[in-house]
Amino acid sequence: MIASTRSASIRIIGFGMGPQHVTPEAADALRSCDYVVAAAKSADDPLLAVRRQVCEEYGVELVAVPDPERDRDPASTTATAGYDQAVREWHAARVAAYRDVLEQRGGTAGFLVWGDPSLYDSTIRIVEQLGFDFDVIPGISAPQLLAARHRIVLHEVGRPVHVTTARRLREDIATGQTNLVVMLGSAPDLEGLEDWQVWYGANLGAPGEQLLSGRLGELGEASLRVAREHARAIDGWVMDLYLLRGPR
Ligand SMILES: C[S@@+](CC[C@H](N)C(=O)[O-])C[C@H]1O[C@@H](n2cnc3c(N)ncnc32)[C@H](O)[C@@H]1O
C-alpha cells in the first residue's frame, strides 16, 4: 500500500516548565491543533509525561515519536566538531521521523517545547527542514524562572548577561565574560571561581525544585551536586542552571 502524503501546518508552542506556565496564547494554539507530536526518549520518559499532562488539560491527542539515538560516545563527541556532527545527524534522523507522521496525518500539528523555543532548543531548526508552514508561540524559559525564584535581575544596571552552556563556560570566562547564565550542565566544575556569586536552580517549577545562592567558596561545589541529586531523586529527572557573577 502506498502511504498518502497530506499537507500539514505546524504550531511550535513553548509551554514553560509545565501546565502552570501555559499562557492563554499557548492554550489557544494548543486547542487549535489536531494533535501534538512529541519525541519519546524511552517508554517511561518523564519529560514526555509532562507534555502528556499539558495535552490532556487541553484535550489534544499526543503522538509520541520514538526519539532516534544520539551519538554520545566521548571518543567522537568531545571535540566541538565531533559534537556538532553528532547533533546534526541526530536532527536529520528526527526530521525523517517527524516527516513520516506529518505526511500520514496532515492537519495542524503542535510541537510542545520545554521553556521557550528560542533558547537551546532545536525544534525551530528541525521544523524549518520539514518544509511545512509554521508559527511560534513563546513560553517561560528556565533563565526567566531562575531570576523570578531568586527575585533577581539577571544583570546589573545597564550591563550585559551572557547566556552559555556548561561546556563553553571556561572558554567564555577566558574571553572576559563575568556575568553568565549557564545552561545544559551536568555536575558543575567551578574550581577557581570561589569568589564568584552563584544563583542556582534545579528542576524549577517541578516538585523537586532546588534553589541555592551565595559565594561559591562558601556554598561549595558539593552542595550544588547534592541539590542536583536531590532534585533527581524527587522528580526522576534533573535539569539545572545557574547565574554566575564574578567579583567586581
Ligand atoms: C534543552 S535546554 C531547553 C531550554 C528551554 N528551551 C528554556 O527556554 O529554558 C535544557 C536546559 O535548560 C535548563 N532548564 C530547563 N528546564 C529547567 C528547569 N525546570 N529547571 C532548571 N533548569 C532548567 C537546563 O540548563 C537544561 O539543561
Side-chain angles (χ1 to χ4, degrees):
M1 192 175 83
I2 299 169
S4 65
T5 300
R6 303 200 203 165
S7 75
S9 65
I10 296 173
R11 310 207 70 178
I12 300 177
I13 305 166
F15 69 98
M17 311 286 133
Q20 75 278 24
H21 292 156
V22 175
T23 64
E25 188 185 22
D28 282 348
L30 266 165
R31 287 191 203 98
S32 75
C33 291
D34 296 305
Y35 55 96
V36 160
V37 181
K41 292 190 188 293
S42 63
D44 56 354
D45 179 347
L47 299 183
L48 179 65
V50 180
R51 287 177 171 80
R52 203 178 289 288
Q53 209 185 331
V54 172
C55 287
E56 276 166 11
E57 211 150 296
Y58 295 93
V60 195
E61 179 193 3
L62 183 138
V63 180
V65 179
D67 206 22
E69 278 291 313
R70 182 173 137 196
D71 180 4
R72 293 183 190 272
D73 179 0
S76 56
T77 60
T78 305
T80 302
Y83 174 81
D84 290 351
Q85 176 64 18
V87 170
R88 262 197 304 277
E89 285 169 10
W90 179 49
H91 285 179
R94 275 184 151 184
V95 168
Y98 293 143
R99 177 167 288 125
D100 282 352
V101 174
L102 287 156
E103 287 183 352
Q104 293 272 342
R105 289 188 162 240
T108 302
F111 280 66
L112 275 181
V113 173
W114 193 271
D116 183 76
S118 69
L119 203 53
Y120 293 115
D121 187 275
S122 356
T123 309
I124 292 179
R125 290 190 197 102
I126 288 171
V127 165
E128 277 171 346
Q129 290 180 52
L130 284 168
F132 296 107
D133 192 27
F134 72 95
D135 69 349
V136 179
I137 315 295
I140 293 173
S141 67
Q144 285 177 290
L145 200 50
L146 179 77
R149 290 293 196 260
H150 283 288
R151 303 181 302 166
I152 55 167
V153 179
L154 289 175
H155 49 77
E156 291 170 301
V157 179
R159 295 178 73 92
V161 57
H162 184 77
V163 182
T164 192
T165 62
R167 198 181 174 86
R168 303 187 77 102
L169 176 62
R170 293 289 163 179
E171 216 176 294
D172 292 344
I173 289 177
T175 64
Q177 298 293 344
T178 56
N179 189 55
L180 310 97
V181 170
V182 185
M183 301 177 70
L184 290 172
S186 45
D189 163 23
L190 302 172
E191 203 189 319
L193 305 176
E194 289 76 9
D195 287 333
W196 289 50
Q197 293 287 323
V198 67
W199 291 265
Y200 174 86
N203 290 19
L204 297 167
E209 177 173 294
Q210 306 289 313
L211 297 172
L212 283 174
S213 63
R215 209 182 125 260
L216 251 182
E218 278 158 27
L219 268 183
E221 217 179 270
S223 56
L224 303 186
R225 286 183 212 280
V226 169
R228 187 179 158 82
E229 288 320 309
H230 200 49
R232 190 202 301 280
I234 294 171
D235 293 327
W237 56 273
V238 64
M239 282 198 268
D240 60 356
L241 83 166
Y242 43 94
L243 174 69
L244 263 187
R245 188 169 294 163
R248 300 198 59 201

